[in-house]
Amino acid sequence: MSDYCQLSGLTKTYPTPRGPAVIVKDFNLNIRKGEFISLIGHSGCGKSTVLSMLAGLSEPSGGGIILAGKELAGPGPDRGVVFQSPCLLPWMTAFENVMLGVDQVFFTASREERAQIATYYLTVVGLGDSLHKRPSELSQGMRQRVGIARAFALKPKMLLLDEPFGMLDSLTRYELQQVLIELWRRNRITALMVTHDVDEALFLSDRIVCMTDGPAAEVGEVIEVDFPRPRERKAVMEHPDYYKLREELIQFLEVRAHRKGTAAPPPPSASASPPAVRRRAPADIEAPMNPA
Amino acid sequence: MRSFKLDWLILPLLGILLVLGGWQAVSGRKAARKDAEGKVVSEERVGLIPALPSVVETWQASRIYILEPFAKRGEMDQGIARFTWYSLLLVAKGYGLALLIGTPIGFLLGLSKVFTKTFDPIIQILRPVSPLAWLPLGLVLFLDAGKEAGTLGALFTIAICSMWPTVLNTAVGVRAIPQDYLNVARVLKLSRTKTLFKVLIPATLPYMFTGFRLSLGIAWLVIVAAEMLTGRPGVGGFLWQEYNALVYEHIILSIITIGLVGFILDRLMSLIEARFKSI
Ligand SMILES: Nc1ncnc2c1ncn2[C@@H]1O[C@H](COP(=O)(O)OP(=O)(O)O)[C@@H](O)[C@H]1O
Ligand SMILES: [Mg+2]
């Protein structure tokens, strides 16, 4: 089996006053080594939930995850996580933030070697001049660059990105997608990225995993993206398949995502906001709304 | 009201002048009663509050303490700066003790729900107890220490009264650490010690310093009570002695000194606090 990371029957329920809320149910996915996968779905469907189970930050209620032949238990620096907000520690410089992780992973290396690793990755993401600046002196985009450098510098088995560019303006987002894909091309670290940006998913991924709406979200469809690599944005967008795939993704999000696989238990709470697009779905396939 | 140039200076000065004026107006003054030939029979004080020394009387009686601030004429007759110095030394010790005890308790409260549930009620009960209530207990606790009993009792009182803001603010600060920072520590699998020193403490520092500042204010407040009851040389001890010696001018001198020093301490701590908040 060439499957490097296996998520099988992954389920997450949260206890609520109105009984357990099933957020993700029976989520199955096999990821090959060196693959770049995007996880796409409506806001609130449970993408971050899946990612944080992979990161070990949240315990699966059912099913399990195997990474590189080992069952995952808890968080660890063998997975590099890039959060939506860069999550830099504001009292440390960019360099120190990266070093915090590097010190953990390469504790056998000399201090000088470790400093070299941190400097290298910060330079690659374009922060060679800002090594010793604090996050408050960096722009939003530069902070996320540090976040990316921190994740790659760990030489992790897997890279987990949760809407890493969601908070950036589109120009900066394009720049950072380029930085990310360049680093990924050099290191070929197996990656799972959560996004709700269709074009971002198409530009970066080998496969796009579409999740159905919650509650009890699961894998809806998997779309293969085989634009040649190394990719260049213009070439990708002019590829004959580009608009076909894009259309397919949008179709999924607008219509097929709302289909219910199993009878859904009541939503976790009345305040859980329904996905924005839900109202546009044809009535015949929309799940009956629970009286909240 | 519209602000104008130098209002930061002029308005406070105006306020001080108004208060001084009011003080002068209600204070007493000496009046001589004379007999028919104009000979002074007796002197008495007249005015709205006859016993209250006037501004001028206060200055005249205090000038030697202010103009020779470091003089030492006797145990309880020293320059005002010297008295302040003694008081500050005692406060520094008690306050240091409060931080040393209060900060770890604050961390435990912030980190552990069980610890909070167990000890929060007792903290809430001990917190409002006045220094005047603690001091006798402090003196009793260190009864065997002989000559040092007063000092130790005072330290105990300062520490136990002033540590609560540090305890509570540190706890709030620890609870307010963004989940993001904790996730970074978890994802990198930082050891407990490393998490404490690289994440928890730096993230809590701004709150800790708010607590430190408030604690210092209380420590300074307590010093007077502590010195009064133990008769130690210091601003508070001086105040009490002069009350007993009926030199009321020196009570006012002591009050002004205590207020000024407290104000300066608060300002200094605010500066430090602002530094940590700006990160
Ligand atoms: N601790 C929790 N308790 C109850 N429900 C939760 C909790 N965390 C997340 N959820 C719910 O799980 C759902 C999925 O959340 P999330 O994974 O963040 O969605 P996404 O990342 O796809 O936008 C949401 O409806 C949210 O309300
Ligand atoms: Mg999310």
Side-chain angles (χ1 to χ4, degrees):
Chain A
M1 275 252 296
S2 67
D3 285 326
Y4 186 61
C5 174
Q6 296 167 275
L7 296 81
S8 37
L10 207 57
T11 300
K12 182 76 194 182
T13 56
Y14 285 112
T16 68
R18 301 168 58 194
V22 184
I23 306 298
V24 178
K25 190 168 182 191
D26 201 23
F27 189 98
N28 293 297
L29 181 64
N30 289 344
I31 304 173
R32 289 186 288 275
K33 191 167 178 156
E35 205 175 13
F36 196 114
I37 300 235
S38 286
L39 193 58
I40 206 164
H42 286 292
S43 171
C45 74
K47 305 181 295 293
S48 300
T49 307
V50 170
L51 199 91
S52 68
M53 285 191 279
L54 250 168
L57 292 172
S58 129
E59 189 79 11
S61 320
I65 302 167
I66 292 173
L67 177 61
K70 258 196 251 160
E71 171 111 36
L72 280 189
D78 58 336
R79 279 147 288 158
V81 186
V82 181
F83 301 93
Q84 176 165 19
S85 62
C87 285
L88 303 182
L89 301 178
W91 49 88
M92 293 184 181
T93 63
F95 176 77
E96 287 166 340
N97 266 289
V98 176
M99 275 301 267
L100 191 65
V102 173
D103 285 343
Q104 284 299 105
V105 178
F106 305 103
F107 49 86
T108 51
S110 72
R111 189 177 149 92
E112 196 155 305
E113 285 169 307
R114 281 179 273 146
Q116 267 171 14
I117 295 175
T119 310
Y120 169 77
Y121 281 97
L122 280 167
T123 311
V124 172
V125 298
L127 291 178
D129 297 334
S130 310
L131 292 179
H132 301 294
K133 285 192 180 153
R134 286 178 191 242
S136 55
E137 301 167 82
L138 301 174
S139 71
Q140 190 75 274
M142 288 159 98
R143 283 182 220 166
Q144 196 53 289
R145 284 171 195 256
V146 180
I148 292 172
R150 178 172 64 186
F152 273 96
L154 303 175
K155 296 240 167 71
K157 290 183 185 144
M158 197 164 176
L159 206 60
L160 305 171
L161 308 106
D162 191 354
E163 303 192 26
F165 311 131
M167 307 211 315
L168 306 177
D169 62 276
S170 51
L171 221 62
T172 316
R173 186 156 47 200
Y174 285 168
E175 271 173 33
L176 283 197
Q177 287 168 1
Q178 207 68 53
V179 167
L180 174 62
I181 201 159
E182 184 58 26
L183 257 173
W184 179 80
R185 191 181 64 76
R186 292 196 209 182
N187 298 272
R188 279 289 169 162
I189 295 172
T190 315
L192 181 74
M193 179 180 75
V194 168
T195 181
H196 53 223
D197 181 338
V198 171
D199 295 298
E200 180 171 285
L202 282 169
F203 177 50
L204 296 171
S205 337
D206 296 311
R207 280 194 293 160
I208 301 175
V209 175
C210 307
M211 275 177 85
T212 63
D213 286 355
E218 56 189 350
V219 175
E221 283 171 31
V222 179
I223 293 174
E224 298 274 344
V225 185
D226 43 16
F227 303 133
R229 291 192 190 266
R231 287 180 190 170
E232 207 242 308
R233 191 180 306 277
K234 193 152 171 293
V236 166
M237 292 182 79
E238 285 168 359
H239 194 278
D241 287 346
Y242 187 79
Y243 276 92
K244 202 179 93 233
L245 289 174
R246 193 173 193 279
E247 203 49 42
E248 206 174 311
L249 273 170
I250 290 174
Q251 264 285 313
F252 175 86
L253 290 175
E254 292 201 333
V255 182
R256 297 193 295 278
H258 310 311
R259 196 177 287 151
K260 279 276 121 24
T262 43
S269 72
S271 63
S273 55
V277 193
R278 170 165 266 178
R279 69 193 124 79
R280 275 192 264 156
D284 57 337
I285 55 168
E286 188 176 4
M289 293 291 280
N290 285 88
Chain B
M1 207 182 96
R2 232 156 41 81
S3 57
F4 50 93
K5 231 170 119 183
L6 289 179
D7 58 352
W8 58 270
L9 181 66
I10 292 168
L11 291 180
L13 282 179
L14 187 69
I16 291 171
L17 281 177
L18 281 174
V19 170
L20 286 180
W23 166 17
Q24 182 73 26
V26 299
S27 61
R29 75 194 124 78
K30 280 202 190 96
R33 184 151 8 122
K34 296 169 184 167
D35 60 12
E37 288 109 56
K39 253 175 59 192
V40 177
V41 180
S42 65
E43 271 197 340
E44 60 175 3
R45 294 186 63 84
V46 295
L48 213 54
I49 310 171
L52 182 67
S54 71
V55 180
V56 180
E57 285 168 336
T58 304
W59 166 248
Q60 276 165 353
S62 305
R63 50 179 297 176
I64 180 159
Y65 292 89
I66 298 168
L67 298 180
E68 292 174 37
F70 298 102
K72 182 167 182 176
R73 291 174 290 268
E75 178 74 355
M76 273 301 178
D77 185 14
Q78 310 189 29
I80 199 69
R82 203 173 250 278
F83 275 138
T84 304
W85 176 243
Y86 293 149
S87 297
L88 281 174
L89 277 183
L90 192 65
V91 161
K93 284 186 207 151
Y95 174 63
L97 207 59
L99 301 196
L100 237 49
I101 302 169
T103 315
I105 296 180
F107 265 93
L108 289 172
L109 282 175
L111 291 172
S112 160
K113 285 213 172 72
V114 175
F115 192 91
T116 304
K117 280 195 186 130
T118 314
F119 290 107
D120 192 59
I122 187 80
I123 288 175
Q124 299 304 338
I125 291 170
L126 294 182
R127 201 162 60 95
V129 175
S130 149
L132 294 173
W134 282 117
L135 193 76
L137 180 66
L139 295 177
V140 170
L141 287 180
F142 300 103
L143 215 50
D144 292 342
K147 230 166 68 95
E148 288 300 301
T151 308
L152 293 175
L155 282 181
F156 165 81
T157 308
I158 294 169
I160 204 160
C161 288
S162 69
M163 74 180 191
W164 306 118
T166 296
V167 170
L168 297 178
N169 278 279
T170 306
V172 169
V174 172
R175 290 192 200 109
I177 298 177
Q179 187 61 41
D180 288 355
Y181 298 168
L182 301 177
N183 280 347
V184 169
R186 287 180 66 198
V187 164
L188 296 178
K189 252 194 175 155
L190 299 185
S191 66
R192 272 166 182 270
T193 335
K194 234 176 170 180
T195 305
L196 182 66
F197 285 102
K198 298 261 176 178
V199 182
L200 297 182
I201 292 181
T204 316
L205 269 183
Y207 288 84
M208 276 161 63
F209 269 90
T210 303
F212 290 174
R213 179 171 58 82
L214 298 174
S215 283
L216 184 57
I218 294 185
W220 184 244
L221 214 63
V222 170
I223 184 78
V224 180
E227 286 178 350
M228 269 158 107
L229 294 180
T230 56
R232 288 175 50 92
V235 195
F238 177 62
L239 188 155
W240 193 244
Q241 179 209 251
E242 297 301 285
Y243 164 71
N244 287 325
L246 308 180
V247 190
Y248 300 154
E249 289 87 350
H250 292 167
I251 297 181
I252 294 173
L253 169 67
S254 301
I255 289 176
I256 294 173
T257 310
I258 292 165
L260 274 176
V261 172
F263 173 70
I264 293 168
L265 289 179
D266 191 72
R267 276 303 135 111
L268 287 178
M269 282 305 282
S270 293
L271 285 180
I272 302 175
E273 196 185 338
R275 274 197 58 118
F276 283 97
K277 287 232 159 101
S278 66
I279 290 180

